[in-house]
Amino acid sequence: MAQHFHAAGSGVFGERDSRRIVELAPAADNAGFITPVQRALIHRRGWLKMLAPRSAGGAELPLPAVVRLEEEIAAIDGSMGWIVTLCAGAGWFAGFMAPSVARDIIKTRRVCVAGSGAPTDYADVDGAGFRINGRWDYASGAPMATHFTLNAVVREHGQVVLDDAGAALIRAFIVPAKNVVVTPSWDSIGLRASASHSYRIDDAWIGAEHGFVIDPVQATSSGPLYRFPFMSLAFVTLSVNLAGMARHFLRLAEPAIARRRHPSTGLPLVDMPAVAARLRRASDELDAARSHFYRLLDGAWEQLAGGALIGDGVAAALRAASLELVRVARLAVDDLYPYCGLYAAHAQSEINRVWRDFHTATQHTLLLP
């Protein structure tokens, strides 16, 4: 079946898609995973292949288009945005894999690559490959994954292999889901439907070609996407999820506040000058942070597409803009939540789900202030 990649521009995807995600989000939150209809939509739109190389069957879309799409999905449902962002990001790794391996993975029916970045266990050199054992945490989208990526400490003859700097050698690997046991462990207050479970691999042998190094110098695809620094990619894609969820919260906060009256004056809270000013300030500051962020991202991409590399200065500016976007989003949500009333504390209300998703996402290590 032909796939259609929907990305940038106003109206990032159709009203029908938006409506369907909105309708299904409460059920997904209650069930602890996105629904079959949501999963079908993700695959039909090709969102999990949008960062994978064209040579492997992916879309290889410009990064600014992908980032805008991820923000728009998160602005409708945090869990779905988180899954698309993390799993599409893992698909980007195909640009660093052996081309034959990348093609085999990306052409998999309903391919979904989940994974974890922390090198919590081991890969032992075994002949022409590695034998992997261990447990890894927080693999968003784990129940739908066809493949899992992981970082592992390399050992040989039982001894940790050291890199050129004398530190433990860590390699990235991709493993078919048939070699993986998903361990239900995700019991967070928010992003429930992301199903970011742990997974275990018991004595699985994989060929050396299933290892890869995420470094522009070692990219196997020549497009500008694979010259974009990994940490910069992580910062920009994660931060826009927070921006999207904050925008969602602000949309819901105003009507929630409008339902309440000041206990002394009896006036609607939303008409109180101080509260109205808080609403305006939250919206204006978030818009300003987003505009600055996208100006930097678009400029970095233009530079990269023109053949230049992203230097340390640009990478540092992208990180700073990403963290500032997260900081402003935090302030906006936390400043307005107390005015939203008990309705916002009700577990089944939409605004409560957005609040829970937002604060769960802020706990990602890279997003620490």
Side-chain angles (χ1 to χ4, degrees):
M1 179 173 66
Q3 290 185 325
H4 306 282
F5 297 93
H6 292 238
S10 62
V12 172
F13 44 85
E15 179 61 31
R16 183 181 178 188
D17 289 351
S18 300
R19 189 169 59 250
R20 186 161 292 182
I21 296 170
V22 169
E23 291 170 351
L24 294 171
D29 184 69
N30 288 330
F33 192 44
I34 57 174
T35 69
V37 173
Q38 288 171 298
R39 299 198 294 271
L41 172 62
I42 287 172
H43 290 301
R44 188 164 63 250
R45 297 305 184 217
W47 290 338
L48 302 188
K49 295 184 179 184
M50 59 190 174
L51 289 174
R54 275 190 293 272
S55 59
E60 201 173 325
L61 294 179
L63 183 60
V66 171
V67 170
R68 285 175 167 89
L69 171 62
E70 291 172 347
E71 183 187 351
E72 291 305 317
I73 299 173
I76 299 171
D77 178 51
S79 283
M80 193 159 170
W82 201 253
I83 288 174
V84 169
T85 297
L86 274 294
C87 295
W92 177 75
F93 296 153
F96 301 87
M97 297 175 191
S100 60
V101 173
R103 285 193 298 271
D104 286 345
I105 291 166
I106 300 304
K107 76 178 183 183
T108 301
R109 183 177 180 274
R110 293 197 161 198
V111 63
C112 174
V113 183
S116 175
T120 51
D121 266 301
Y122 299 96
D124 291 282
V125 176
D126 186 354
F130 297 85
R131 193 163 295 278
I132 297 179
N133 285 278
R135 172 186 162 122
W136 289 263
D137 295 323
Y138 308 128
S140 300
M144 66 189 283
T146 58
H147 299 78
F148 287 80
T149 59
L150 58 100
N151 284 325
V153 177
V154 176
R155 295 187 302 198
E156 189 167 15
H157 306 304
Q159 300 296 313
V160 172
V161 177
L162 302 181
D163 62 18
D164 293 340
L169 177 63
I170 296 170
R171 288 289 306 276
F173 298 91
I174 187 160
V175 179
K178 67 181 181 180
N179 297 122
V180 175
V181 177
V182 174
T183 306
S185 60
W186 185 243
D187 193 24
S188 171
I189 64 164
L191 295 180
R192 291 176 177 172
S194 72
S196 301
H197 296 306
S198 303
Y199 59 101
R200 192 180 78 246
I201 300 176
D202 298 319
D203 203 37
W205 186 90
I206 59 168
E209 69 277 8
H210 284 78
F212 57 98
V213 177
I214 306 167
D215 184 329
V217 175
Q218 300 202 43
T220 55
S221 292
S222 59
L225 259 179
Y226 313 104
R227 297 198 304 274
F228 201 86
F230 170 63
M231 291 305 295
S232 297
L233 183 95
F235 278 116
V236 301
T237 56
L238 290 174
S239 63
V240 294
N241 274 261
L242 272 295
M245 289 181 236
R247 286 171 51 209
H248 192 176
F249 182 87
L250 293 182
R251 288 201 306 272
L252 300 171
E254 185 167 359
I257 294 170
R259 284 196 289 266
R260 305 188 73 197
R261 292 184 176 273
H262 193 277
S264 299
T265 66
L267 292 173
L269 271 186
V270 75
D271 292 335
M272 302 290 292
V275 177
R278 284 176 184 269
L279 278 165
R280 285 194 304 272
R281 183 173 65 244
S283 180
D284 290 348
E285 290 182 354
L286 185 59
D287 285 346
R290 289 179 66 245
S291 295
H292 175 66
F293 168 88
Y294 279 114
R295 259 196 317 273
L296 286 180
L297 176 60
D298 291 342
W301 180 257
E302 185 177 349
Q303 176 180 328
L304 197 62
L309 292 176
I310 300 294
D312 291 344
V314 174
L318 286 170
R319 177 182 182 275
S322 298
L323 293 179
E324 175 64 7
L325 183 57
V326 172
R327 185 190 71 82
V328 171
R330 276 195 181 103
L331 286 177
V333 172
D334 291 343
D335 192 43
L336 293 177
Y337 181 76
Y339 295 92
C340 296
L342 285 174
Y343 169 75
H346 192 284
Q348 296 303 314
S349 69
E350 182 179 4
I351 192 170
N352 181 264
R353 185 178 73 250
V354 177
W355 184 88
R356 289 187 282 107
D357 288 347
F358 178 87
H359 282 286
T360 300
T362 62
Q363 299 308 300
H364 194 288
T365 302
L366 287 185
L367 302 180
L368 288 173

